[in-house]
mmCIF file of all heavy atoms in Angstrom:
data_model
loop_
_atom_site.group_PDB
_atom_site.id
_atom_site.type_symbol
_atom_site.label_atom_id
_atom_site.label_comp_id
_atom_site.label_asym_id
_atom_site.label_seq_id
_atom_site.Cartn_x
_atom_site.Cartn_y
_atom_site.Cartn_z
ATOM 1 N N LEU A 1 3.721 -5.641 -7.452
ATOM 2 C CA LEU A 1 3.700 -5.969 -6.031
ATOM 3 C C LEU A 1 2.967 -7.291 -5.849
ATOM 4 O O LEU A 1 1.788 -7.404 -6.176
ATOM 5 C CB LEU A 1 3.004 -4.859 -5.248
ATOM 6 C CG LEU A 1 3.210 -4.831 -3.739
ATOM 7 C CD1 LEU A 1 4.678 -4.619 -3.399
ATOM 8 C CD2 LEU A 1 2.363 -3.733 -3.103
ATOM 9 N N ALA A 2 3.683 -8.314 -5.378
ATOM 10 C CA ALA A 2 3.075 -9.625 -5.166
ATOM 11 C C ALA A 2 2.323 -9.623 -3.842
ATOM 12 O O ALA A 2 2.905 -9.336 -2.791
ATOM 13 C CB ALA A 2 4.143 -10.707 -5.174
ATOM 14 N N LEU A 3 1.030 -9.950 -3.904
ATOM 15 C CA LEU A 3 0.186 -10.012 -2.714
ATOM 16 C C LEU A 3 -0.219 -11.455 -2.453
ATOM 17 O O LEU A 3 -0.425 -12.230 -3.390
ATOM 18 C CB LEU A 3 -1.070 -9.145 -2.879
ATOM 19 C CG LEU A 3 -0.851 -7.660 -3.195
ATOM 20 C CD1 LEU A 3 -2.199 -6.955 -3.331
ATOM 21 C CD2 LEU A 3 -0.004 -6.999 -2.111
ATOM 22 N N ASP A 4 -0.331 -11.783 -1.193
ATOM 23 C CA ASP A 4 -0.787 -13.103 -0.776
ATOM 24 C C ASP A 4 -2.158 -12.947 -0.137
ATOM 25 O O ASP A 4 -2.286 -12.383 0.951
ATOM 26 C CB ASP A 4 0.207 -13.708 0.215
ATOM 27 C CG ASP A 4 -0.185 -15.115 0.656
ATOM 28 O OD1 ASP A 4 -1.241 -15.601 0.201
ATOM 29 O OD2 ASP A 4 0.548 -15.723 1.457
ATOM 30 N N ILE A 5 -3.187 -13.438 -0.812
ATOM 31 C CA ILE A 5 -4.562 -13.308 -0.335
ATOM 32 C C ILE A 5 -5.088 -14.700 -0.031
ATOM 33 O O ILE A 5 -5.452 -15.465 -0.939
ATOM 34 C CB ILE A 5 -5.457 -12.601 -1.378
ATOM 35 C CG1 ILE A 5 -4.864 -11.236 -1.738
ATOM 36 C CG2 ILE A 5 -6.882 -12.454 -0.851
ATOM 37 C CD1 ILE A 5 -5.637 -10.485 -2.799
ATOM 38 N N SER A 6 -5.078 -15.052 1.251
ATOM 39 C CA SER A 6 -5.536 -16.372 1.707
ATOM 40 C C SER A 6 -4.810 -17.496 0.979
ATOM 41 O O SER A 6 -5.417 -18.478 0.555
ATOM 42 C CB SER A 6 -7.059 -16.500 1.510
ATOM 43 O OG SER A 6 -7.733 -15.518 2.264
ATOM 44 N N GLY A 7 -3.497 -17.336 0.822
ATOM 45 C CA GLY A 7 -2.697 -18.342 0.150
ATOM 46 C C GLY A 7 -2.714 -18.271 -1.357
ATOM 47 O O GLY A 7 -2.044 -19.069 -2.010
ATOM 48 N N ARG A 8 -3.463 -17.328 -1.904
ATOM 49 C CA ARG A 8 -3.567 -17.195 -3.365
ATOM 50 C C ARG A 8 -2.728 -16.002 -3.822
ATOM 51 O O ARG A 8 -2.951 -14.880 -3.371
ATOM 52 C CB ARG A 8 -5.036 -17.007 -3.753
ATOM 53 C CG ARG A 8 -5.289 -16.820 -5.245
ATOM 54 C CD ARG A 8 -6.787 -16.884 -5.525
ATOM 55 N NE ARG A 8 -7.534 -15.995 -4.662
ATOM 56 C CZ ARG A 8 -7.811 -14.724 -4.970
ATOM 57 N NH1 ARG A 8 -7.389 -14.208 -6.128
ATOM 58 N NH2 ARG A 8 -8.518 -13.968 -4.138
ATOM 59 N N PRO A 9 -1.740 -16.200 -4.721
ATOM 60 C CA PRO A 9 -0.903 -15.081 -5.168
ATOM 61 C C PRO A 9 -1.662 -14.181 -6.140
ATOM 62 O O PRO A 9 -2.337 -14.656 -7.063
ATOM 63 C CB PRO A 9 0.280 -15.780 -5.849
ATOM 64 C CG PRO A 9 -0.274 -17.097 -6.306
ATOM 65 C CD PRO A 9 -1.322 -17.492 -5.319
ATOM 66 N N VAL A 10 -1.562 -12.895 -5.925
ATOM 67 C CA VAL A 10 -2.180 -11.894 -6.795
ATOM 68 C C VAL A 10 -1.142 -10.807 -7.045
ATOM 69 O O VAL A 10 -0.476 -10.344 -6.123
ATOM 70 C CB VAL A 10 -3.443 -11.284 -6.150
ATOM 71 C CG1 VAL A 10 -3.989 -10.160 -7.026
ATOM 72 C CG2 VAL A 10 -4.511 -12.347 -5.943
ATOM 73 N N GLU A 11 -1.022 -10.398 -8.292
ATOM 74 C CA GLU A 11 -0.055 -9.358 -8.641
ATOM 75 C C GLU A 11 -0.772 -8.025 -8.791
ATOM 76 O O GLU A 11 -1.764 -7.901 -9.508
ATOM 77 C CB GLU A 11 0.679 -9.709 -9.928
ATOM 78 C CG GLU A 11 1.815 -8.738 -10.254
ATOM 79 C CD GLU A 11 2.631 -9.167 -11.460
ATOM 80 O OE1 GLU A 11 3.504 -10.055 -11.293
ATOM 81 O OE2 GLU A 11 2.367 -8.644 -12.560
ATOM 82 N N ALA A 12 -0.265 -7.021 -8.080
ATOM 83 C CA ALA A 12 -0.810 -5.671 -8.161
ATOM 84 C C ALA A 12 0.266 -4.733 -8.695
ATOM 85 O O ALA A 12 1.457 -5.057 -8.687
ATOM 86 C CB ALA A 12 -1.280 -5.210 -6.785
ATOM 87 N N VAL A 13 -0.164 -3.561 -9.160
ATOM 88 C CA VAL A 13 0.748 -2.571 -9.730
ATOM 89 C C VAL A 13 0.641 -1.291 -8.918
ATOM 90 O O VAL A 13 -0.461 -0.794 -8.661
ATOM 91 C CB VAL A 13 0.410 -2.280 -11.209
ATOM 92 C CG1 VAL A 13 1.372 -1.246 -11.790
ATOM 93 C CG2 VAL A 13 0.457 -3.554 -12.031
ATOM 94 N N VAL A 14 1.786 -0.762 -8.507
ATOM 95 C CA VAL A 14 1.815 0.490 -7.760
ATOM 96 C C VAL A 14 1.672 1.653 -8.730
ATOM 97 O O VAL A 14 2.538 1.875 -9.575
ATOM 98 C CB VAL A 14 3.125 0.620 -6.954
ATOM 99 C CG1 VAL A 14 3.156 1.946 -6.193
ATOM 100 C CG2 VAL A 14 3.285 -0.549 -5.996
ATOM 101 N N VAL A 15 0.574 2.406 -8.605
ATOM 102 C CA VAL A 15 0.321 3.521 -9.526
ATOM 103 C C VAL A 15 0.356 4.875 -8.826
ATOM 104 O O VAL A 15 0.319 5.912 -9.510
ATOM 105 C CB VAL A 15 -1.050 3.350 -10.220
ATOM 106 C CG1 VAL A 15 -1.073 2.088 -11.070
ATOM 107 C CG2 VAL A 15 -2.190 3.344 -9.211
ATOM 108 N N GLY A 16 0.419 4.886 -7.511
ATOM 109 C CA GLY A 16 0.432 6.171 -6.817
ATOM 110 C C GLY A 16 1.012 6.046 -5.420
ATOM 111 O O GLY A 16 0.967 4.984 -4.801
ATOM 112 N N LEU A 17 1.577 7.151 -4.957
ATOM 113 C CA LEU A 17 2.149 7.212 -3.612
ATOM 114 C C LEU A 17 1.504 8.374 -2.860
ATOM 115 O O LEU A 17 1.499 9.513 -3.348
ATOM 116 C CB LEU A 17 3.663 7.406 -3.674
ATOM 117 C CG LEU A 17 4.460 6.308 -4.404
ATOM 118 C CD1 LEU A 17 5.932 6.680 -4.488
ATOM 119 C CD2 LEU A 17 4.294 4.967 -3.707
ATOM 120 N N LEU A 18 0.961 8.062 -1.698
ATOM 121 C CA LEU A 18 0.306 9.088 -0.883
ATOM 122 C C LEU A 18 1.343 9.849 -0.063
ATOM 123 O O LEU A 18 2.260 9.257 0.501
ATOM 124 C CB LEU A 18 -0.709 8.441 0.060
ATOM 125 C CG LEU A 18 -1.952 7.802 -0.588
ATOM 126 C CD1 LEU A 18 -2.781 7.093 0.469
ATOM 127 C CD2 LEU A 18 -2.794 8.873 -1.275
ATOM 128 N N ARG A 19 1.175 11.156 -0.013
ATOM 129 C CA ARG A 19 2.040 12.003 0.799
ATOM 130 C C ARG A 19 1.180 12.680 1.861
ATOM 131 O O ARG A 19 0.669 13.781 1.641
ATOM 132 C CB ARG A 19 2.746 13.048 -0.063
ATOM 133 C CG ARG A 19 3.625 12.441 -1.156
ATOM 134 C CD ARG A 19 4.304 13.526 -1.974
ATOM 135 N NE ARG A 19 5.146 12.967 -3.006
ATOM 136 C CZ ARG A 19 4.719 12.649 -4.219
ATOM 137 N NH1 ARG A 19 3.448 12.833 -4.531
ATOM 138 N NH2 ARG A 19 5.552 12.151 -5.109
ATOM 139 N N PRO A 20 1.001 12.037 3.008
ATOM 140 C CA PRO A 20 0.170 12.622 4.058
ATOM 141 C C PRO A 20 0.746 13.949 4.545
ATOM 142 O O PRO A 20 1.957 14.184 4.500
ATOM 143 C CB PRO A 20 0.191 11.574 5.175
ATOM 144 C CG PRO A 20 0.578 10.301 4.485
ATOM 145 C CD PRO A 20 1.497 10.705 3.372
ATOM 146 N N ALA A 21 -0.147 14.809 5.016
ATOM 147 C CA ALA A 21 0.263 16.150 5.408
ATOM 148 C C ALA A 21 0.888 16.198 6.794
ATOM 149 O O ALA A 21 1.565 17.163 7.133
ATOM 150 C CB ALA A 21 -0.937 17.107 5.347
ATOM 151 N N ASP A 22 0.677 15.177 7.647
ATOM 152 C CA ASP A 22 1.197 15.234 9.016
ATOM 153 C C ASP A 22 1.680 13.847 9.421
ATOM 154 O O ASP A 22 1.420 12.843 8.755
ATOM 155 C CB ASP A 22 0.119 15.733 9.980
ATOM 156 C CG ASP A 22 -1.165 14.938 9.875
ATOM 157 O OD1 ASP A 22 -1.195 13.801 10.385
ATOM 158 O OD2 ASP A 22 -2.135 15.452 9.276
ATOM 159 N N SER A 23 2.396 13.793 10.549
ATOM 160 C CA SER A 23 2.995 12.544 11.016
ATOM 161 C C SER A 23 1.938 11.535 11.449
ATOM 162 O O SER A 23 2.127 10.323 11.297
ATOM 163 C CB SER A 23 3.960 12.824 12.179
ATOM 164 O OG SER A 23 3.276 13.433 13.266
ATOM 165 N N VAL A 24 0.826 12.015 12.017
ATOM 166 C CA VAL A 24 -0.235 11.096 12.445
ATOM 167 C C VAL A 24 -0.808 10.357 11.249
ATOM 168 O O VAL A 24 -1.016 9.136 11.284
ATOM 169 C CB VAL A 24 -1.336 11.862 13.201
ATOM 170 C CG1 VAL A 24 -2.498 10.928 13.540
ATOM 171 C CG2 VAL A 24 -0.779 12.487 14.466
ATOM 172 N N SER A 25 -1.068 11.086 10.172
ATOM 173 C CA SER A 25 -1.598 10.448 8.962
ATOM 174 C C SER A 25 -0.589 9.485 8.361
ATOM 175 O O SER A 25 -0.956 8.432 7.834
ATOM 176 C CB SER A 25 -1.987 11.515 7.931
ATOM 177 O OG SER A 25 -3.009 12.349 8.423
ATOM 178 N N ARG A 26 0.695 9.825 8.435
ATOM 179 C CA ARG A 26 1.720 8.928 7.897
ATOM 180 C C ARG A 26 1.724 7.597 8.643
ATOM 181 O O ARG A 26 1.822 6.530 8.036
ATOM 182 C CB ARG A 26 3.106 9.588 7.978
ATOM 183 C CG ARG A 26 3.372 10.602 6.886
ATOM 184 C CD ARG A 26 4.850 10.953 6.804
ATOM 185 N NE ARG A 26 5.295 11.661 7.999
ATOM 186 C CZ ARG A 26 5.239 12.971 8.147
ATOM 187 N NH1 ARG A 26 4.736 13.723 7.184
ATOM 188 N NH2 ARG A 26 5.681 13.541 9.249
ATOM 189 N N ARG A 27 1.615 7.640 9.980
ATOM 190 C CA ARG A 27 1.571 6.397 10.749
ATOM 191 C C ARG A 27 0.273 5.642 10.492
ATOM 192 O O ARG A 27 0.258 4.412 10.454
ATOM 193 C CB ARG A 27 1.711 6.705 12.243
ATOM 194 C CG ARG A 27 3.079 7.212 12.640
ATOM 195 C CD ARG A 27 3.284 7.114 14.145
ATOM 196 N NE ARG A 27 2.293 7.876 14.877
ATOM 197 C CZ ARG A 27 2.437 9.158 15.230
ATOM 198 N NH1 ARG A 27 3.534 9.801 14.892
ATOM 199 N NH2 ARG A 27 1.501 9.779 15.915
ATOM 200 N N ALA A 28 -0.818 6.377 10.292
ATOM 201 C CA ALA A 28 -2.107 5.725 10.077
ATOM 202 C C ALA A 28 -2.147 4.977 8.745
ATOM 203 O O ALA A 28 -2.762 3.913 8.630
ATOM 204 C CB ALA A 28 -3.227 6.766 10.126
#
């Protein structure tokens, strides 16, 4: 995942996906 931090490119790796228990948490 390419991130832009104050104009500086940083590469991150997706290691987990959150599954919120309710719709409010999903939007949050």
Side-chain angles (χ1 to χ4, degrees):
L1 196 62
L3 303 180
D4 182 359
I5 304 178
S6 299
R8 179 170 51 90
V10 175
E11 187 174 280
V13 180
V14 179
V15 297
L17 300 176
L18 292 175
R19 300 180 180 88
D22 53 76
S23 60
V24 175
S25 298
R26 281 194 293 272
R27 291 196 301 270

